[in-house]
Amino acid sequence: MTRYLLQQVLHRGPVLLLITVISFGIMHLAPGKPTDAATQFNPKVSLEARQRMEQLYGLDQPLPRQYAHWMGRLVRFDFGRSFLDDRPVTEKILERLPITLTINLWSLLLILGIAIPLGVLSAVRPNGLFDRLTTVLVFIGYSAPSFWVALLCMAWFGVTLHWLPISGIHSLDYESFGMIHRWLDTGWHLILPVGIAAFTSVAGMSRYMRSSMVDVLRQDYIRTARAKGVSERRVLFHHGLRNGLLPVITILGLSLPDLIGGSVIAETIFSIPGMGRLFYEAVMARDYPVVMALVTIGAVLTMIGNFLADAGYAVADPRIRVESRA
Amino acid sequence: MKALLGNRLAVIGALTLAALAVVAIAARWVAPHDPLQVNLPDALLAPCRAYPLGTDQLGRDVLSRLIYGARISLLIGFIAVGIAVSIGTVVGALAGFYGGWLDAILMRFVDTMLSIPTIFLLLAIIAVIGPSIELIMVVIGLTSWMGVARLVRAEILSLKEREFVLAAHVLGASSWRVITKHLLPNAMGPVLVSATLGVGGAILSESVLSYLGLGVQPPTPSWGNILNEGRIALGVAWWLTLAPGLCILTTVLAFNLLGEGIRERLSRQ
Amino acid sequence: MERSLNRSALGAAGRRQHDRQRSWFVSAILVLVPNLFFSPVASADSPPPPTSGDAIVVGSIGDASRLLPILATDSASGDIVGLLFNGLLKYNERLEIVGDLAESWTVSEDGLTFTFHLRPNVRWHDGAAVTARDVEFTYRKLIDPNVRTPYSSSYELVQSLDVLDDHTVRIRYKEPFAPALESWMMGVIPKHLLEGQDLNTTPFLRKPVGHGPYTFVRWKTGELIELKANPDYFEHRPYIDRYLYRIIPDEATLFLELLTQGVDLSSLTPLQYRRQTNSPFMQRAYHKFRYPSFGFTYLGYNLQDERFKDIRVRQAINRAIDKQALIEGVLYGLGAIATGPYPKESWGYDPSIVPTPYDPRAAKALLAEAGWSDHDGDGWLDRNGQRFQFTILTNQGNEVRRQVAELIQQQLKAVGIDVKIRTVEWSTFVHEFIDKRRFEAVLLGWSLSRDPDLYDLFHSSKTKEGEYNFVGYANPDVDRLLLEGRRTFDHEQRVRIYHDVHRHLYEDQPYTFLFVSDALPMLSSRFRNVVPTPIGIGYNFIDWYAPRSEQRYHAVMQQ
């Protein structure tokens, strides 16, 4: 196992380095400077004042040196400070992380809660009426532009029916609520964003679940169980699901980085201060430290996720050996 | 083909796409108005006889803009996928066929590309160079070839030990010939499925870019930018939001149903 | 970004349409629209005494970044900072400069020495007194090269600042500088809390302590900034208890929030103003305001370009663009034709200048005179075999400009000029195209400070990379007038100078001045004492109140 781990690190280390170099390159070769937002096109800001600000940010240094500087801090787990407001990048990320995690975890749970039963039931009679109906339904979710669905839902549930809050994650008097009231309030605000996230992405998981179950239900032992007179329900949810779920579990490993990556679109539409907007705003403002930190964290999580998925496969299927993997 | 016909959903998808393609190609004859003709006195008219889907803020005919927009959106979808499939096939074939160091390096590169968030690449490159139809196609293509590369590699790995391939080697066929004549044609099934789904994905990507203001630029209509422009007028002009949204929904859905149909067919072989 | 130094509760409102216009002042002249605006002041027979309580929820597209006056560069930071800090001076509702922290001030004969006498009774929110040392500290930090403030250039001409006693400062200038008074509207920052700190990174930026009418409570990044009334404010305690600044980054969402009264104050797009806010419910729940913004939208030419060097070509385009049609089509009539850089309400505006009439035929004649006519009969003008084709460059994300560009494209097509449109993201736009002069024409807007000084925009010395005369305009007469205007203190004289500047710019057409759009804020009708004046409605924000029976947000924040 240690050898396996070591090999993984050796394989994936260079990838990580390459990711930082590419991201750093793209960001820095882009025209525009982080000082633009504060200084551009303000007639009261002189050229000298601008150059002075660039110097203060270290932007007059050659690129390799800026990169080395950044890497040097990174190995000490220091992501530096944002160019936009001079706050530590870590602080900015930690502030956004909880809400994004909450939304993503709830969406994931909802997706699993919908996709697993749908997948199983569709697999009972592939291409039957139920299967076709759910196929069309989940694909409608996948095929609609999410901001369009969000807008229609906000207009309908928020404005016309007055059932749900339109945007934000808390009521304005949130601070004065008790513990339970706070939870309910947040939950209330999250219904639309979580629901829409699940609706627009349930397709992948449910299709995956369906094909996995279709495969499993063709196996001999299922036929044996049925022949032995085990009830259909037990066949499906006991014998079938247990094996049908295996590939789904490895998929969960791969979606690890998605848990911290928020959606710019959903967060903008629903006024949610999450990771997606942080990233988008950082790119647009050329806030290099924040962009680089997020890309690096994402890459590391992807690596860990891949590793977990691989490890999952290896555990589930001992035929997969270290040697056979490129 | 016959089995595909058996899948009613796939047939519906294919027919929808065929109809759409005809309309897009024949846009000049089908569209009732010039999609670029500004006509201020007619701004924001609800659907009526002269304008079956109403008009936008500058009095342009929404139906005509959607018809011409279909051209742009489909073009973006097909070309982006074409780029992705070409790159993915070449990379996957090389990696799968030669293996060893080349495989390791290429697959590390695929891993790298997969680890950098797509939206970052899209945003950074388009924001920097400035949105144009060509760039949007290229960038969507450049950020979506990795899946194809992995698919092709996996197929080639499983095919290259098969008898007919070994036979070709023995008979002295060149590597090039083995790849192009024996391996790739047999690996193309899953790629076709992934490409069909990919066209839908690219159309959605364009609409997301439009939402961020980085999509196809005016006055050229695309479904994404018509939808985004209409969004702001939601309260007064529902047709500006509903029509392009439904166009995107229907088309992407059709591509997905067709793709699923092909996948179903292949898995039964 | 824009910046507001005076207290403007309306800052959020001013910004949306002028997202990319940058300058100091956000608020603008306000003209009452009698038929659309139901005035609470006029209708109340005997106004009840103001009641305290309630909260106002302001909707903003962007979040603040640094809550310190000398570092605040975006409009959201400006909005908040304006309620927390005051300057020495401010504009009153008639656009006259009056004292704010300064009770009185004197200017020496030669215009070189200013003496400010501070109010004696102003306290920081932590109880310490506001003194002349704080003013001195603010100035030191403004000119400190280690502080990342973009405002230092307004203080370059200051020779010295002396503290005469706790409540008196004397400032000497190296040469006469008429816009100096305006620069002392900069918010004063607390020496006792910031001394010895690195201003760029101090925690103060997210937890500011001011002396203004409102006190900082909390800031949840990307979500909400909350302020509460300062009971010890030197004028009087504001009636509205809480000020809640909600960050809602999507315009469509912001509007939906207005529809459900989730937001009390926000600005409208022209379309929303005209077509989407006329339901009986909206009429009852909100008041709409309309007043010209202090800025203009223009088509600027690269005057290095051979074609645009010819003044006849510029004048022809000026005649070929139907500005009234732009205003009708894009602004739904909510704007006014611009003839120069000043709105009608500015004292720099020369009222004798009338807009050039829309006259495509005259435009064609002028173009023909300049050698441009359709020689090959393809419908486009050409000269020496070259078609008259140019690209209008504008920034992404501004819906109004996008539509204006499309209309201009159509209108110039009618006289045979082939226009292409290109939109580029802001940062790239400035660096790659404006700074490097890689443009033929740009569609942009400026928003301006009250002082009509335009030295940075039109003086021929301001054409280096990164400076603002990027069109390359050079007219010795204008150069002379702009310098003179800066050195003259006599108001009448300055009026004459800037009228001349206006006329020169009108005749030379370095830009085709298009229009001045209206600011269109909408405010919940429960607030009373909202009196529209030349500088907007925000100037007397501390006097606004909601009658007890109409208050929406109760209790919670008891002091």
Side-chain angles (χ1 to χ4, degrees):
Chain A
M1 196 64 193
T2 22
R3 191 165 150 242
Y4 181 64
L5 273 175
L6 203 71
Q7 209 158 357
Q8 288 294 315
V9 171
L10 279 180
H11 273 309
R12 302 194 194 272
V15 173
L16 191 57
L17 206 64
L18 196 58
I19 290 167
T20 64
V21 172
I22 290 179
S23 315
F24 196 83
I26 291 178
M27 269 326 271
H28 284 257
L29 294 178
K33 299 228 169 86
T35 45
D36 287 352
T39 60
Q40 285 293 346
F41 266 57
N42 184 333
K44 302 285 172 190
V45 179
S46 69
L47 187 58
E48 295 75 39
R50 256 172 65 186
Q51 287 163 348
R52 215 182 60 206
M53 278 175 74
E54 285 174 22
Q55 211 167 16
L56 284 174
Y57 283 116
L59 296 172
D60 51 347
Q61 304 276 329
L63 266 192
R65 184 173 302 171
Q66 287 187 45
Y67 179 75
H69 197 72
W70 179 80
M71 268 315 266
R73 276 198 322 240
L74 183 67
V75 293
R76 280 174 277 136
F77 293 103
D78 174 8
F79 285 118
R81 281 170 177 274
S82 161
F83 285 162
L84 216 55
D85 54 13
D86 277 307
R87 297 169 64 208
V89 173
T90 324
E91 186 183 311
K92 290 189 79 156
I93 292 175
L94 287 179
E95 175 181 85
R96 307 276 187 140
L97 201 54
I99 188 62
T100 297
L101 268 179
T102 310
I103 291 178
N104 288 338
L105 278 174
W106 280 109
S107 322
L108 188 64
L109 281 179
L110 193 58
I111 288 173
L112 288 177
I114 298 171
I116 292 175
L118 274 192
V120 173
L121 294 176
S122 308
V124 176
R125 209 168 307 131
N127 291 324
L129 185 66
F130 181 81
D131 183 27
R132 284 204 191 154
L133 217 69
T134 51
T135 304
V136 173
L137 215 63
V138 295
F139 275 131
I140 285 180
Y142 171 80
S143 307
S146 60
F147 67 90
W148 181 66
V149 179
L151 196 67
L152 295 182
C153 288
M154 284 157 78
W156 179 248
F157 293 109
V159 180
T160 311
L161 298 175
H162 283 280
W163 283 357
L164 295 170
I166 291 166
S167 68
I169 44 174
H170 302 308
S171 297
L172 288 171
D173 286 331
Y174 181 77
E175 297 289 313
S176 67
F177 295 163
M179 180 71 130
I180 295 182
H181 194 169
R182 283 189 184 195
W183 281 31
L184 287 176
D185 185 61
T186 310
W188 196 235
H189 280 82
L190 290 185
I191 290 178
L192 274 185
V194 167
I196 287 166
F199 176 61
T200 51
S201 51
V202 78
M205 193 68 88
S206 80
R207 297 304 289 177
Y208 205 77
M209 192 62 221
R210 174 184 175 275
S211 64
S212 162
M213 275 304 279
V214 168
D215 282 347
V216 168
L217 292 182
R218 280 197 205 128
Q219 304 291 320
D220 292 338
Y221 68 91
I222 296 287
R223 233 174 282 153
T224 319
R226 278 190 179 138
K228 279 201 295 194
V230 178
S231 78
E232 184 63 20
R233 172 187 292 243
R234 205 175 146 75
V235 168
L236 279 182
F237 287 95
H238 189 76
H239 300 272
L241 191 57
R242 214 163 41 170
N243 291 291
L245 271 180
L246 266 180
V248 173
I249 289 165
T250 53
I251 273 212
L252 289 183
L254 292 175
S255 60
L256 188 68
D258 297 343
L259 280 184
I260 69 144
S263 146
V264 197
I265 310 289
E267 289 175 10
T268 306
I269 284 256
F270 289 111
S271 314
I272 296 168
M275 301 283 280
R277 278 204 67 77
L278 179 67
F279 188 64
Y280 174 70
E281 281 159 9
V283 171
M284 289 325 227
R286 310 286 191 273
D287 192 352
Y288 309 142
V290 174
V291 172
M292 292 302 296
L294 288 174
V295 169
T296 310
I297 295 173
V300 170
L301 282 180
T302 309
M303 275 176 49
I304 297 176
N306 276 333
F307 171 73
L308 287 180
D310 285 356
Y313 265 116
V315 171
D317 188 349
R319 280 169 304 179
I320 296 173
R321 290 266 174 271
V322 186
E323 294 79 37
S324 71
R325 297 196 58 79
Chain B
M1 213 53 212
K2 209 167 152 198
L4 204 58
L5 278 177
N7 186 334
R8 219 175 299 162
L9 290 177
V11 173
I12 295 173
L15 288 178
T16 311
L17 292 177
L20 188 69
V22 170
V23 170
I25 291 166
R28 269 177 69 189
W29 298 281
V30 182
H33 297 269
D34 176 352
L36 302 182
Q37 184 57 50
V38 172
N39 188 5
L40 287 177
D42 285 355
L44 291 175
L45 288 185
C48 57
R49 195 167 301 166
Y51 303 105
L53 289 177
T55 58
D56 69 2
Q57 288 100 320
L58 296 180
R60 295 173 296 200
D61 177 41
V62 173
L63 178 61
S64 306
R65 286 180 71 72
L66 285 174
I67 290 172
Y68 275 87
R71 273 186 173 188
I72 303 292
S73 292
L74 287 177
L75 200 66
I76 288 178
F78 279 112
I79 299 210
V81 165
I83 294 171
V85 167
S86 315
I87 300 177
T89 306
V90 171
V91 171
L94 290 178
F97 187 77
Y98 290 103
W101 271 107
L102 189 62
D103 183 31
I105 291 173
L106 287 176
M107 285 302 113
R108 284 300 81 78
F109 185 59
V110 168
D111 286 347
T112 308
M113 287 297 289
L114 282 172
S115 301
I116 302 177
T118 315
I119 188 88
F120 168 65
L121 293 172
L122 287 176
L123 278 181
I125 297 173
I126 293 179
V128 165
I129 304 181
S132 66
I133 297 175
E134 298 79 19
L135 185 73
I136 289 167
M137 293 172 186
V138 171
V139 175
I140 295 179
L142 286 181
T143 50
S144 55
W145 56 270
M146 293 82 78
V148 176
R150 285 190 161 178
L151 262 180
V152 171
R153 173 178 175 272
E155 286 293 315
I156 296 225
L157 277 181
S158 76
L159 286 171
K160 79 174 176 185
E161 303 302 327
R162 298 266 281 274
E163 282 146 29
F164 70 96
V165 178
L166 296 177
H169 275 296
V170 172
L171 290 174
S174 67
S175 300
W176 170 252
R177 205 181 150 75
V178 172
I179 295 181
T180 54
K181 292 279 171 213
H182 299 281
L183 291 174
L184 282 184
N186 287 297
M188 273 300 133
V191 172
L192 183 66
V193 173
S194 142
T196 313
L197 303 179
V199 178
I203 292 175
L204 280 176
S205 294
E206 194 272 333
S207 80
V208 165
L209 286 172
S210 284
Y211 174 81
L212 296 173
L214 298 171
V216 174
Q217 294 299 300
T220 312
S222 78
W223 287 347
N225 69 20
I226 300 172
L227 178 57
N228 190 46
E229 285 166 26
R231 196 171 59 90
I232 296 151
L234 180 69
V236 266
W238 50 268
W239 56 92
L240 278 181
T241 334
L242 215 59
L246 285 176
C247 280
I248 296 175
L249 171 61
T250 318
T251 308
V252 180
L253 184 61
F255 275 112
N256 277 292
L257 293 179
L258 181 61
E260 280 298 307
I262 301 175
R263 190 205 301 276
E264 197 85 340
R265 170 96 182 81
L266 288 172
S267 72
R268 244 184 265 153
Q269 271 180 347
Chain C
M1 304 281 154
E2 293 176 3
R3 170 96 171 82
S4 85
L5 290 173
N6 48 348
R7 257 179 283 130
S8 84
L10 270 185
R15 178 166 32 87
R16 282 168 64 201
Q17 298 169 36
H18 309 282
D19 213 9
R20 289 304 187 193
Q21 304 181 359
R22 300 165 175 230
S23 94
W24 267 15
F25 294 92
V26 172
S27 49
I29 308 268
L30 192 131
V31 176
L32 190 60
V33 191
N35 55 336
L36 287 168
F37 172 59
F38 159 79
S39 162
V41 180
S43 73
D45 291 330
S46 55
T51 41
S52 297
D54 210 358
I56 184 166
V57 184
V58 180
S60 162
I61 297 272
D63 196 3
S65 56
R66 307 167 208 228
L67 298 182
L68 192 71
I70 67 171
L71 294 183
T73 46
D74 56 292
S75 63
S77 302
D79 290 346
I80 302 298
V81 157
L83 290 167
L84 298 175
F85 300 88
N86 295 12
L88 292 177
L89 305 172
K90 65 175 180 184
Y91 281 113
N92 72 1
E93 62 270 32
R94 285 180 301 279
L95 265 184
E96 299 150 349
I97 295 178
V98 296
D100 195 0
L101 283 181
E103 217 165 24
S104 63
W105 75 98
T106 54
V107 185
S108 66
E109 273 298 300
D110 57 6
L112 287 174
T113 308
F114 297 73
T115 311
F116 293 98
H117 304 282
L118 306 192
R119 287 172 190 266
N121 57 343
V122 185
R123 302 208 161 263
W124 294 101
H125 296 149
D126 65 358
V130 177
T131 71
R133 311 247 164 246
D134 293 316
V135 179
E136 184 196 20
F137 179 75
T138 307
Y139 166 68
R140 297 264 165 261
K141 290 298 164 187
L142 276 165
I143 57 162
D144 181 347
N146 291 317
V147 175
R148 292 168 192 165
T149 173
Y151 300 111
S152 52
S153 45
S154 297
Y155 307 89
E156 276 161 7
L157 289 175
V158 174
Q159 187 171 39
S160 66
L161 183 147
D162 303 299
V163 174
L164 300 185
D165 63 48
D166 263 5
H167 296 102
T168 315
V169 274
R170 191 179 62 205
I171 303 163
R172 289 182 204 276
Y173 278 79
K174 292 173 198 155
E175 50 186 84
F177 183 55
L181 282 178
E182 203 178 66
S183 75
W184 293 106
M185 295 183 184
M186 173 65 74
V188 172
I189 59 177
K191 183 182 184 186
H192 69 288
L193 293 173
L194 290 170
E195 179 100 85
Q197 298 215 30
D198 178 358
L199 283 204
N200 304 314
T201 56
T202 169
F204 187 93
L205 299 174
R206 292 190 59 82
K207 251 179 115 56
V209 176
H211 51 258
Y214 280 83
T215 312
F216 177 82
V217 178
R218 67 194 165 113
W219 176 5
K220 304 190 77 178
T221 313
E223 194 185 338
L224 179 79
I225 299 174
E226 179 172 347
L227 311 178
K228 67 174 182 189
N230 171 12
D232 305 318
Y233 186 54
F234 63 81
E235 289 181 54
H236 67 79
R237 178 193 190 280
Y239 297 119
I240 299 173
D241 273 351
R242 290 196 290 164
Y243 179 92
L244 297 161
Y245 197 78
R246 273 191 72 185
I247 293 105
I248 301 173
D250 185 287
E251 268 191 53
T253 309
L254 184 50
F255 186 67
L256 292 180
E257 284 286 358
L258 279 172
L259 288 179
T260 51
Q261 292 184 285
V263 166
D264 294 324
L265 173 62
S266 179
S267 81
L268 300 175
T269 62
L271 178 65
Q272 288 167 348
Y273 186 95
R274 282 287 194 230
R275 306 275 300 264
Q276 291 172 281
T277 47
N278 299 326
S279 67
F281 163 74
M282 291 298 265
Q283 301 259 22
R284 215 169 38 240
Y286 290 100
H287 291 145
K288 290 192 279 193
F289 297 84
R290 169 184 173 190
Y291 49 88
S293 54
F294 233 85
F296 61 93
T297 299
Y298 64 92
L299 183 67
Y301 306 102
N302 187 341
L303 299 175
Q304 308 294 316
D305 189 308
E306 278 309 317
R307 296 166 299 179
F308 298 125
K309 262 187 189 161
D310 190 333
I311 190 168
R312 288 170 299 190
V313 170
R314 304 197 305 263
Q315 280 171 342
I317 295 177
N318 186 30
R319 283 171 173 76
I321 295 177
D322 183 353
K323 289 155 207 135
Q324 196 55 41
L326 300 183
I327 294 170
E328 295 298 331
V330 180
L331 301 179
Y332 296 83
L334 300 167
I337 292 179
T339 55
Y342 305 121
K344 282 201 180 75
E345 293 70 19
S346 165
W347 52 262
Y349 179 89
D350 180 351
S352 68
I353 296 173
V354 287
T356 319
Y358 168 59
D359 189 348
R361 195 171 299 180
K364 274 192 162 165
L366 268 169
L367 285 164
E369 215 178 286
W372 294 102
S373 40
D374 188 5
H375 298 102
D376 54 9
D378 65 350
W380 301 109
L381 300 181
D382 54 90
R383 189 175 69 181
N384 308 330
Q386 284 281 352
R387 181 192 287 190
F388 198 151
Q389 182 187 66
F390 72 95
T391 302
I392 294 180
L393 202 64
T394 189
N395 62 291
Q396 249 163 43
N398 188 314
E399 190 71 358
V400 165
R401 282 187 205 154
R402 181 185 65 72
Q403 292 182 17
V404 167
E406 289 182 50
L407 285 178
I408 290 180
Q409 184 179 39
Q410 288 267 322
Q411 292 172 353
L412 291 188
K413 190 175 162 190
V415 294
I417 300 176
D418 185 9
V419 174
K420 303 264 178 264
I421 301 171
R422 181 154 182 214
T423 59
V424 185
E425 178 251 356
W426 184 249
S427 196
T428 311
F429 179 71
V430 171
H431 267 267
E432 292 302 295
F433 297 97
I434 298 288
D435 280 1
K436 305 215 163 97
R437 306 286 182 274
R438 279 172 34 198
F439 63 91
E440 294 168 302
V442 288
L443 183 66
L444 279 176
W446 285 114
S447 64
L448 303 167
S449 53
R450 304 294 143 158
D451 194 281
D453 176 30
L454 291 174
Y455 186 82
D456 291 292
L457 263 54
F458 294 111
H459 194 274
S460 62
S461 69
K462 290 291 180 182
T463 50
K464 281 191 293 257
E465 180 170 332
E467 294 187 321
Y468 300 111
N469 184 359
F470 47 79
V471 294
Y473 177 61
N475 179 336
D477 289 332
V478 173
D479 282 359
R480 184 180 46 76
L481 286 165
L482 287 172
L483 263 178
E484 213 176 295
R486 281 190 140 193
R487 292 186 174 151
T488 307
F489 281 86
D490 180 70
H491 186 71
E492 293 310 312
Q493 242 177 303
R494 290 194 84 203
V495 168
R496 275 195 301 278
I497 290 170
Y498 289 109
H499 282 190
D500 279 355
V501 169
H502 183 180
R503 180 162 294 281
H504 277 294
L505 290 173
Y506 171 75
E507 280 162 5
D508 288 347
Q509 291 285 320
Y511 298 165
T512 293
F513 298 96
L514 299 173
F515 53 75
V516 175
S517 54
D518 290 339
L520 305 167
M522 185 159 89
L523 170 68
S524 167
S525 57
R526 72 178 189 275
F527 296 106
R528 304 297 152 82
N529 241 346
V530 182
V531 189
T533 68
I535 64 165
I537 53 176
Y539 75 99
N540 73 335
F541 181 61
I542 62 169
D543 294 324
W544 295 8
Y545 70 94
R548 184 127 307 169
S549 57
E550 294 176 42
Q551 295 187 356
R552 284 174 61 94
Y553 302 92
H554 296 286
V556 202
M557 291 296 302
Q558 295 302 329
Q559 316 249 345

